[in-house]
Amino acid sequence: MPEATKFAIPVPSEDPKKKEKKPEDETEAANKPNGEADSGEDLSEEDLQLKNELEMLIERLKEPDTDLYRPALETLRTLIRTSTSSMTSVPKPLKFLHPHYPQLQILYETWPASENKALFADILSVLAMTYSDTQPRGTLRYRLLSSSLQTAGGPPVSEPGSWGHEYVRHLAAELGEEYNVRELGEDLETPAVDGQEPVPQSVGSIDDLRALGMECATFLLQHNAEPDAVDLLEELEIVSRIVEIVDENTFSRVCQYMVACINLLPPPDDLSFLETAHSIYVQHQRFPQALALSIRLGNPTLIRDDFNAPGNPLMKRQLAFLLARAQVPKEWLDPEEESEEELPEDLLDCLNNTRLSQHFKDFGKELGVEEAKSLEDVYKSHLENTRTTSTVDSARGNLAGTFVNAFVNAGFGNDKLMVEAEEGSSWIYKNKDHGMMSAAASLGLSLLWDTDVGLSHVDKYTYSAEEHIKAGALLATGILNTGVRTEADAALALLGEYVDNKSVPLKTSAMIGLGLAYAGSHREDLLAILLPHVADETVSMEIASLAALALGFIFVGSGNGEIASSVLQTFMERDAAQLEEKWARYMALGLALIYIGRQDGSDATLATLQAIEHPIAKQAEILVDMCSFAGTGNVLKVQALLHHCDEHIDKSPKEKKNEKKEEKKEGEEETKEEKPKDDTFQAFAVIGIALVSMGEEIGSEMSLRQFNHLMHYGEPVIRKAIPLALGLVSASNPQLPILDTLSKYSHDNDLQVALNAIFAMGLVGAGTNNARLMQMLRQLAGYYHKEPDCLFVVRIAQGLVNMGKGTITINPFFSDRGIMSKTAVAGLLATLTAFTDAKAFILDKYHWMLYFLVTAMYPRFLITLDEELNPLPVTVRVGQAVDVVGQAGKPRTISGFQTHSTPVRLGTTERAELATEEFIPFAHVLEGFVILQKNPGWEKEDKMEL
């Protein structure tokens, strides 16, 4: 019998191992009567009978008569299977068979290969569970031996599931260990057994392990243990095969769990999980969920396929709303062949966000906030406890008023200072020079998304003789087109010609205007207009950097190689003095924005940056790295960024101790002789920690502790950046601990830290109307009434908190905080970059940089529409979102809800669900625009009134 010899080989190497254990067992066997007497005291009669029966069966297996084997094994199997016991104790048969296990192992090796031997191996596999600490992975080994002994094509001796849930879980755990030992060479246990460890490894191939894994996973899925099944297949690196074994009852739970895991997985596993969940959703025709995952993957082909998959025109419209919210380039959806017809008009309307402005204004009416708010309504300065009661119109105060008015009345298009102002008394003329530019640009914010009315309002200022007003009007044109696409392409038509203008303000405004208007559109025609300015060495650093930034906005997350190579070329060719200007950081940011969410896609660029010697390369490297992993919660990236923060850079290389007083002057002189090392990169590393960890709750909570440490022990440049990082981690989400921390920092001795903390308070509360925060800001206005810079920022923060009168959010995550908007991240980063050196940008002539936030601004509403896309009021419950992934049954997804009629406003951490089943929503998450369809099976309940 050739097969017999094959399995007889392991015997010699196996035997000594057993003999080591045998002496104890033999003594046990020898002491049988006493042993029985000892345990006999607490054995009941049936237990004793069971024990004797088991021992008799084992004796039978040792006898030479082979005909008795089969019935004996069958009986053993039945006894083990039918023994039920509470989950806390070992089943009786396993307990009584435990001492005999080593003898049975030796016996097993002497048998020739046969059906009986396969059954014997199966039983040993179950017994091995009681020996898992001394002989690791015995269960798995005998399971594999048993399946290898089966007759080919015959039915298996037994399914793993037939031995019960505990056995399958045990097997699953051992499969993972065994796989790691074989694939990665991680030997988990190599205790004092010399040279005998390889024996168990020889059974079965990796494919056998995976096949067994699939059997176990199938069992686990049928028994409501979806997370265990996913984990098992992930350990065996075949998670993509779960698609084959899910059915309509289990797929949603499997996908929920997989999507929840993504933030906790290292790349490339996170992408494989996304792709697997996506294919499951497609297979089960859950198009909105599938599209949401395609957007996260940023894969144009998947997005096009998902968008074109459903036949139902209403479902397509719903998907179009989702794509519009994510600012997905429309070109990705264009049909591949020329022959296919263009997208229909109604879909284009949804995709272009054409009706956003109208719906937003109606939403304002519903909430009763359409009336314009004056500055006094926001400041409530009668509640401030300042001693001075001067009403002098200071230029600084008016400039702050410009921004407050713009942010508070954003999108409503009816503010009193700009849009509705009488001829000649416009607020613009209450500002000086560069203030006029921001004032004119604030028109764009006030008329946000309203492309028709907006352009006619802005138009009259484009003919102004005052250069700053004209520049502001160009910026306004860009701002009001943000997030909305028009067929007319008005922004390009109006701004394109100014990009080559001689005047610097007009040129930069036109560039930034284009960048904002076409953020995230990946438009190739804009590349030709803007790229030459990046590469042109004759233009100033300001123009080149802002052109790079505008391209970063337009091609956000595209990984565009042309832009990258141009910027890298500029870094290499420009002379060091130019790269040291404050503008260089914007060129680096423009480069980084192209790689938002690309993960490893930025490796080549990073390698090039490491070869450039100038300090700007270090800043760019950190920016590119952190943008590539934005919102992924990747722990390794956070650790790398923390390492950058712990370098203590000695700013002045010359004798610092001698003259502390004249440090400033000394520093200036030294730059001529020997340059101090540049430490701006540390500020970006701090913001990077926030950027990477903001995607998931655990990571962002942990980052708060790191920031706390850095604040205590960090260098000044790090301390300045920490409030900004806090503002980014929790944008538009005012959590009390963060507010308290920022409140503490806003009274810091270092005014730069205080300034950034105040601005961060504005970010954290943006569009929330948070009363507690407004109270803090009013106190700060009193505290800093003599510090014009800080007061200016306090005012802006007050404007941000009331943004859109509490209806607009700047949080970059949407769709139940599942998808990160790349354009929003770009806007937030550009604004924070301006605050890394507030004195040089925001507090100087470049306060218009606050308008970068516009790409992140979006209404936080839920509007339900009928099939004709008209608003349809229904009752919904709104409450705090609860994480229910992996919980048994159907737990409530929201807690502490209130019932409203749509349209309703949703907070950052809130979730809505329909109160009745009268309508079926097309979207999987109720936020933004949701199309409803009447539920045909719904009947109004008869009310029982007593």
Side-chain angles (χ1 to χ4, degrees), residues 568-588:
L568 291 169
Q569 199 69 25
T570 310
F571 281 157
M572 289 176 200
E573 288 170 5
R574 288 223 172 203
D575 51 322
Q578 285 182 311
L579 291 177
E580 258 154 43
E581 285 182 38
K582 59 183 179 183
W583 290 104
R585 69 191 67 191
Y586 272 112
M587 189 171 277

Side-chain angles (χ1 to χ4, degrees), residues 143 158-165 167-168 215 219 223:
R143 175 86 224 165
S158 70
E159 295 289 327
S162 60
W163 291 106
H165 203 269
Y167 174 73
V168 175
E215 277 183 55
F219 174 83
H223 294 79

